[in-house]
Amino acid sequence: MAPKLLITRKLPPDVLARAARTYDVEYNTDDSLWDNAQLAARAVGKDALLATVTDRLGAEAIERLPQSVRIIASFSVGTDHIDVEAARLRGIAVTNTPDVLTDATAEIALLLILGAARGAAAGMASIREGTWANWAPTGMLGISLTGKRLGILGMGRIGRATARRARAFSMEIHYHNRRRVEADEGATWHESFDGLLRVSDILSVHCASTPETRKLIDARALALLPRGAIVVNTARGDIIDDDALIAALQIGQVAAAGLDVFNNEPNIDPRYRTQANAFLLPHLGSATLETRNAMGFRALDNLDDFFAGREPRDRVG
Ligand code: DGY
């Protein structure tokens, strides 16, 4: 008998086709978001869930899952939407999808760096709104990347891929990680977070969201950046204190921000919308068909391993 799999969101056709070859699949036909009660009801009789970052699988949601569920394969590298410990206590395995979205996310980090540094949001608005009067020698001046210091907070896979790409823009790379990284792309390690902040003309956030990193980028941290720095985030919105960042953008302590992730997505802090020096994207880090296929296949690889009695390669809990 094929294991029964609940897929909580609409996934790319090739991923669904592969899932259907191995599993007895129930799909989310209208791609709506399910609350805990709906998820628990859909999961009745299922052996596995293939879930995404929009499934808020906290302790209560995990608690409500039926006994039949033995594994949650997340279609994401981040697992902050899952209470992995609560799952462990229920005997539910958890996997994620690292590696396959590294390059796509690093590409978005570079897009944010460029977009923020060159005032792309304000420039595009002037075209769309018809307010672009003429080319002006002193108009819409951005910040050059050449020779600037890029501070990478979290030198994991995506941090390193971002560093490699930033080198092509002749940037000087610095990073902070708990430990020095061996393959650090020749970047300068800062043992302390504050040390990194002090040299970061552009700060790019790549650490995981954990209780320790929540609101790590607060008013104190932003004040340590060189005046007129740029802040970029492709990791998780909750690493940034929105009140502090918006205040810093308003007074020019931070010249511009490039954000792909937000607190309370998609209901972001409305003040960002009117902040001309904020270049904003709607969580597009992994949003290419190639990458979303690869994420789906990786999640299915993990399920295949699990149901074949092997240890899934991306087991996180
Ligand atoms: C992840 O995989 O954690 C991303 O945020 C989804 O793109």
Side-chain angles (χ1 to χ4, degrees), residues 107-184:
E107 287 169 9
I108 287 287
L110 264 296
L111 175 60
L112 293 178
I113 292 170
L114 285 163
R118 300 304 297 270
M124 284 171 67
S126 78
I127 300 254
R128 289 190 196 283
E129 291 158 16
T131 55
W132 180 32
N134 53 48
W135 183 92
T138 56
M140 292 197 242
L141 301 183
I143 295 169
S144 294
L145 299 187
T146 303
K148 293 291 174 350
R149 297 164 298 183
L150 174 64
I152 294 194
L153 178 61
M155 197 66 153
R157 300 177 192 83
I158 299 171
R160 293 200 300 277
T162 302
R164 280 197 294 282
R165 285 159 176 76
R167 283 220 179 285
F169 289 90
S170 304
M171 301 186 80
E172 199 182 285
I173 317 295
H174 296 251
Y175 72 101
H176 167 66
N177 226 45
R178 262 170 304 184
R179 279 180 296 279
R180 184 181 224 128
V181 175
E182 218 164 280
D184 66 5

Side-chain angles (χ1 to χ4, degrees), residues 234-315:
T234 49
R236 283 293 181 263
D238 62 5
I239 300 166
I240 288 184
D241 176 339
D242 289 331
D243 286 336
L245 179 57
I246 290 164
L249 284 166
Q250 286 169 346
I251 62 172
Q253 167 58 16
V254 170
L259 306 175
D260 185 48
V261 286
F262 300 87
N263 283 297
N264 200 27
E265 294 175 12
N267 303 311
I268 70 169
D269 189 313
R271 292 173 293 174
Y272 282 124
R273 298 202 177 98
T274 52
Q275 204 56 50
N277 51 356
F279 180 71
L280 311 173
L281 296 176
H283 204 147
L284 295 184
S286 64
T288 69
L289 182 58
E290 298 96 316
T291 304
R292 293 281 163 85
N293 274 335
M295 290 166 71
F297 297 148
R298 186 82 172 227
L300 291 172
D301 289 346
N302 286 316
L303 289 170
D304 292 352
D305 281 344
F306 182 82
F307 287 108
R310 297 184 295 266
E311 181 70 1
R313 85 194 258 201
D314 304 317
R315 188 165 182 160

Side-chain angles (χ1 to χ4, degrees), residues 53 75-81 97 101 105 234-236 260-261 283-287 292 295:
V53 290
F75 180 89
S76 66
V77 65
T79 51
D80 51 299
H81 57 296
T97 60
L101 44 65
T105 308
T234 49
R236 283 293 181 263
D260 185 48
V261 286
H283 204 147
L284 295 184
S286 64
R292 293 281 163 85
M295 290 166 71

Side-chain angles (χ1 to χ4, degrees), residues 219-233:
R220 188 201 72 87
L222 294 169
L224 287 177
L225 291 169
R227 186 165 173 82
I230 289 170
V231 174
V232 163
N233 188 8

